[in-house]
């Protein structure tokens, strides 16, 4: 009786290995991959990967892709802005200028903290001076209204537009939309 219980306990604890190591479908795929010598290579695999300095047009931002049967890396499969960012980082260029804003001083109307933007609008988070003096206040700036003041510490931020001067879309009239007035519209100019 004791021997039967011991045998059952040992059998339960024993590591059970599967009879079949992998499925038959995976085996067939592997066999076919080994025997496929006449596989036509991907059209873009043979093309040379361009460096950051060689990028001139949008077509240059298409990656070569991975060889058939391999897993692509980030640089092989990325396209567009993601590819431009990766290539720039490989050359030591920060494409999107992700450095934090200057929080060593409080911006004034005469000497504001500059925020670069390639779009029509930009948001900046103010944490005060020195950094983390107050909770984050998000300030929205636009090309029509490039300066904003933090409501808690009074620091002034100004958007510097670095994008193309004419985007060619002609959407700047906004069909007569006028931005709503705020307290800033009623402050005397000498107080700014």
């Amino acid at each position: 009786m004791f021997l039967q219980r011991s045998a059952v306990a040992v059998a339960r604890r024993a590591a059970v290995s599967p009879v079949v190591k992998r499925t038959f479908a995976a085996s067939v795929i592997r066999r076919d991959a080994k025997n496929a010598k006449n596989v036509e290579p991907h059209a873009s695999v043979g093309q040379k990967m361009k460096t950051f300095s060689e990028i001139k047009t949008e077509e240059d931002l298409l990656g070569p892709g991975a060889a058939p049967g391999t897993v692509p890396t980030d640089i092989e499969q990325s396209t567009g802005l993601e590819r431009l960012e990766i290539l720039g980082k490989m050359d030591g260029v920060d494409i999107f200028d992700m450095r934090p804003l200057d929080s060593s001083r409080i911006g004034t109307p005469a000497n504001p903290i500059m925020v670069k933007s390639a779009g029509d609008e930009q948001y900046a988070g103010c944490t005060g001076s020195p950094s983390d003096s107050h909770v984050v206040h998000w300030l929205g700036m636009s090309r029509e209204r490039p300066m904003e003041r933090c409501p808690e510490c009074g620091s002034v931020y100004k958007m510097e537009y670095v994008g193309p001067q004419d985007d060619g879309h002609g959407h700047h009239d906004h069909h007569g939309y006028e931005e709503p007035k705020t307290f800033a519209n009623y402050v005397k100019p000498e107080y700014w």
Side-chain angles (χ1 to χ4, degrees), residues 10-64:
V10 168
R12 284 185 190 155
R13 292 185 186 130
V16 179
S17 63
V19 177
V20 179
K21 298 262 187 213
R22 62 176 170 246
T23 63
F24 294 109
S27 299
V28 171
I29 292 171
R30 286 180 155 217
R31 187 193 72 210
D32 289 346
K34 286 181 184 176
N35 297 335
K37 292 182 174 74
N38 59 356
V39 173
E40 186 176 316
H42 193 274
S44 62
V45 170
Q47 91 187 103
K48 179 183 166 271
M49 194 172 303
K50 295 189 177 191
T51 62
F52 178 71
S53 59
E54 295 172 335
I55 302 293
K56 302 294 182 216
T57 64
E58 289 182 15
E59 287 80 28
D60 295 338
L61 293 176
L62 296 175

Side-chain angles (χ1 to χ4, degrees), residues 9 14 19 33 42 49-50 113 124 130 149 161 169 185 189:
V19 177
H42 193 274
M49 194 172 303
K50 295 189 177 191
I113 295 174
R149 184 183 289 264
Y161 181 71
H169 295 292
N185 296 101

Side-chain angles (χ1 to χ4, degrees), residues 8-192:
V8 171
V10 168
R12 284 185 190 155
R13 292 185 186 130
V16 179
S17 63
V19 177
V20 179
K21 298 262 187 213
R22 62 176 170 246
T23 63
F24 294 109
S27 299
V28 171
I29 292 171
R30 286 180 155 217
R31 187 193 72 210
D32 289 346
K34 286 181 184 176
N35 297 335
K37 292 182 174 74
N38 59 356
V39 173
E40 186 176 316
H42 193 274
S44 62
V45 170
Q47 91 187 103
K48 179 183 166 271
M49 194 172 303
K50 295 189 177 191
T51 62
F52 178 71
S53 59
E54 295 172 335
I55 302 293
K56 302 294 182 216
T57 64
E58 289 182 15
E59 287 80 28
D60 295 338
L61 293 176
L62 296 175
T70 63
V71 177
T73 62
D74 286 344
I75 190 69
E76 289 174 338
Q77 73 178 356
S78 62
T79 60
L81 288 176
E82 181 186 10
R83 183 170 185 77
L84 185 66
E85 181 182 16
I86 291 172
L87 291 172
K89 285 184 179 180
M90 289 171 63
D91 278 3
V93 178
D94 189 9
I95 299 296
F96 296 115
D97 192 19
M98 298 299 287
R99 292 174 294 152
L101 294 175
D102 181 20
S103 64
S104 64
R105 65 183 179 88
I106 292 181
T108 63
N111 188 15
I113 295 174
M114 299 303 289
V115 179
K116 292 183 181 179
S117 174
D120 288 339
E121 295 177 342
Q122 183 69 34
Y123 286 92
C126 179
T127 59
S129 177
S131 184
D132 293 332
S133 297
H134 59 73
V135 296
V136 178
H137 288 281
W138 293 100
L139 309 170
M141 295 163 278
S142 65
R143 288 175 74 176
E144 290 81 24
R145 186 177 171 163
M147 288 182 79
E148 282 292 326
R149 184 183 289 264
C150 177
E152 188 159 334
C153 67
S155 184
V156 177
Y157 295 86
K158 183 176 183 182
M159 185 180 97
E160 177 187 352
Y161 181 71
V162 294
Q165 293 306 314
D166 181 27
D167 63 358
H169 295 292
H171 295 287
H172 298 294
D173 60 354
H174 295 287
H175 307 290
Y177 173 76
E178 184 178 332
E179 189 172 343
K181 295 192 181 294
T182 64
F183 261 127
N185 296 101
Y186 300 105
V187 176
K188 294 180 182 176
E190 57 264 18
Y191 292 135
W192 282 99

